[in-house]
Amino acid sequence: MTGGSLCWTPAAAAGPPSLRRRDSARSLRSTFLSRLPDKMRAGLDPERPADVNLNRAKGLSRGEREYYEKQFATLRTFEEVETLCMPDEFDSDLEAFEDKEQKQSESAMKISNYANIVLLVFKVYATIRTGSMAIAASTLDSLLDFLAGGILWFTHISMKKVNIYKYPIGKLRVQPVGIIVFAAIMATLGFQVLIQAIDQLVENKPGEKMTSEQLIWLYSIMLSATAVKLALWLYCKSSGNSIVRAYAKDHYFDVVTNVVGLVAAVLGDKYLWWIDPVGAVLLAVYTIVNWSKTVLENAVTLVGRCAPPEMLQMLTYLAMKHDARVKRVDTVRAYSFGALYFVEVDIELSEDMRLREAHTIGESLQEKIEKLPEVERAFVHVDFESTHKPEHTIRSRLPATDP
């Protein structure tokens, strides 16, 4: 660590173990704070010097502010790593928290599915009563909500029931696959609605005006549906479960489609008929773009994309702090394999160390890394030197198969 920077690299891990072990997250923070420039010291809390409020620091450029925000975020990450990887005293609390979160996630999914069924029935009735194209688009969206909700629920149940002989590393990859299927269906729906709305515009035939009774039904159903979806979005958006967050995204999307559909239907009935199909076109385009992005976001998690630099930095720090007998951290890799990451760490130990001792160091490091919530599985490779070529080659094509 030099010049106030906290960017650790494997080379930095090669320092003397006795010095490296003294660099706890707390001592790193103290050293970093002592090297802050005068204009940053205005942000220090006199009563709590370890806390820094960047809003109180004057004269910082945008680049400087971003730099210091990143450094303090790194320090907080290091502190969290040290807390999380303490001996087993935190394991029972963590397990209880995960069980509680699991129950909350299942509750959110059940409520969302029941709400989708009820709202679908009411929207079908509203579509029949009004004949609005925009309301029809919103109703089709609710139908897909019901079907896609079934897909996500099946995905969730499938992940919990694992046959280790068929799926040795579990079925967590079912989650992004389920979300991709869900998002693809939603994007397909948007394309169908887009075609129907354009056909109506091309035909240039205005529909019949709605009666007062139809308008009352329209307002009642669509506003009620919007209120329910808004409440569900607020309930689901804070969940740590990716499937529940997919529900939350869908609820938010429904709020948008309900409002736009209602406004387009009312304006189209009262003023210009083509406002209704134009509103449907806008909803369709929004659907296609929004859910296509979701497909791409989840697809890249299945192809082994590298973890962000902050996570690699955190893993390097964890490996460095693991044991005083680790001479060097050679390589740290982390890549997505579904919703979570697989991690590979190469460490150097003394070539005279006994196998039992080396195995214990490597296995305990693996267990520490797998405690991190972002990590599904960790692999620790132990070596006696670090000048060799990488142990694995990267395939650029699939092996040939018999015709």
Side-chain angles (χ1 to χ4, degrees):
M1 183 179 69
T2 58
S5 174
L6 293 170
C7 295
W8 290 89
T9 65
S18 59
L19 292 177
R20 192 166 71 245
R21 304 310 158 195
R22 292 203 302 266
D23 288 333
S24 67
R26 181 174 296 180
S27 66
L28 285 174
R29 178 183 283 273
S30 298
T31 304
F32 184 67
L33 292 176
S34 68
R35 298 180 180 180
L36 289 176
D38 292 338
K39 60 182 177 181
M40 276 295 299
R41 295 187 180 280
L44 295 177
D45 188 337
E47 298 181 358
R48 303 176 64 185
D51 294 336
V52 177
N53 184 355
L54 294 180
N55 294 325
R56 297 174 57 184
K58 305 299 182 181
L60 291 179
S61 66
R62 180 178 178 182
E64 288 175 322
R65 184 177 296 274
E66 291 178 353
Y67 168 79
Y68 284 111
E69 286 176 349
K70 184 176 181 180
Q71 300 308 309
F72 284 112
T74 300
L75 279 171
R76 285 192 295 271
T77 299
F78 288 173
E79 291 167 351
E80 291 170 2
V81 166
E82 290 188 354
T83 300
L84 183 65
C85 297
M86 292 288 285
D88 298 336
E89 58 186 293
F90 296 102
D91 288 355
S92 58
D93 293 339
L94 180 61
E95 185 176 349
F97 173 77
E98 289 177 346
D99 289 342
K100 181 180 179 181
E101 188 178 61
Q102 179 78 1
K103 292 179 180 178
Q104 291 176 341
S105 298
E106 291 185 356
S107 175
M109 285 185 275
K110 288 181 179 178
I111 293 173
S112 296
N113 286 335
Y114 293 147
N116 285 337
I117 294 173
V118 173
L119 294 179
L120 174 61
V121 173
F122 282 111
K123 282 190 177 182
V124 168
Y125 183 78
T127 302
I128 296 173
R129 295 283 297 183
T130 63
S132 166
M133 188 67 195
I135 300 301
S138 181
T139 303
L140 286 174
D141 175 56
S142 292
L143 174 61
L144 265 295
D145 286 348
F146 171 67
L147 297 176
I151 293 173
L152 293 182
W153 180 254
F154 171 79
T155 298
H156 175 71
I157 298 300
S158 178
M159 287 168 53
K160 293 174 63 178
K161 298 179 179 179
V162 180
N163 183 335
I164 61 172
Y165 300 104
K166 287 186 176 181
Y167 305 95
I169 62 172
K171 297 166 69 176
L172 291 184
R173 272 131 310 274
V174 172
Q175 178 171 296
V177 170
I179 294 175
I180 288 172
V181 173
F182 178 33
I185 291 175
M186 297 299 291
T188 303
L189 163 70
F191 186 71
Q192 291 180 325
V193 172
L194 177 64
I195 293 175
Q196 293 176 358
I198 291 176
D199 285 343
Q200 186 173 349
L201 287 171
V202 172
E203 290 177 2
N204 196 23
K205 291 181 180 180
E208 296 181 0
K209 296 288 185 178
M210 286 186 281
T211 65
S212 299
E213 182 182 358
Q214 288 176 322
L215 285 172
I216 291 174
W217 276 105
L218 175 66
Y219 282 120
S220 300
I221 292 174
M222 296 304 293
L223 290 177
S224 298
T226 302
V228 170
K229 284 293 185 175
L230 181 61
L232 288 173
W233 171 65
L234 293 173
Y235 180 63
C236 295
K237 71 173 185 175
S238 60
S239 173
N241 187 298
S242 296
I243 293 180
V244 178
R245 289 200 299 271
Y247 273 104
K249 186 173 184 178
D250 176 57
H251 294 323
Y252 176 78
F253 173 75
D254 284 345
V255 171
V256 174
T257 58
N258 289 342
V259 171
V260 174
L262 177 61
V263 171
V266 172
L267 294 180
D269 179 73
K270 190 172 183 180
Y271 298 106
L272 300 172
W273 70 270
W274 51 262
I275 295 179
D276 185 33
V278 167
V281 169
L282 293 176
L283 288 177
V285 172
Y286 178 76
T287 301
I288 294 170
V289 172
N290 194 44
W291 290 104
S292 295
K293 289 180 179 178
T294 301
V295 170
L296 293 175
E297 288 171 1
N298 284 272
V300 296
T301 66
L302 296 172
V303 297
R305 184 174 61 178
C306 182
E310 294 78 12
M311 183 173 180
L312 296 176
Q313 189 179 53
M314 173 184 66
L315 292 168
T316 304
Y317 177 76
L318 193 159
M320 289 169 52
K321 296 286 295 178
H322 172 60
D323 193 287
R325 291 164 291 181
V326 176
K327 297 174 63 178
R328 182 177 285 103
V329 178
D330 182 20
T331 304
V332 175
R333 295 188 185 93
Y335 46 89
S336 62
F337 197 60
L340 303 177
Y341 291 99
F342 274 26
V343 175
E344 298 177 13
V345 176
D346 295 358
I347 58 175
E348 180 185 342
L349 302 177
S350 171
E351 60 182 312
D352 299 323
M353 185 176 291
R354 298 181 64 184
L355 176 60
R356 180 191 296 271
E357 189 177 3
H359 173 268
T360 300
I361 293 173
E363 185 177 42
S364 57
L365 176 57
Q366 171 195 317
E367 292 171 351
K368 278 187 178 181
I369 296 174
E370 289 181 348
K371 284 184 180 181
L372 298 173
E374 305 94 336
V375 176
E376 178 179 353
R377 183 162 292 202
F379 305 91
V380 177
H381 174 72
V382 176
D383 211 328
F384 62 89
E385 51 85 27
S386 58
T387 59
H388 55 272
K389 293 181 179 180
E391 287 80 5
H392 302 283
T393 58
I394 299 176
R395 285 184 178 269
S396 58
R397 56 186 173 183
L398 295 173
T401 57
D402 294 334

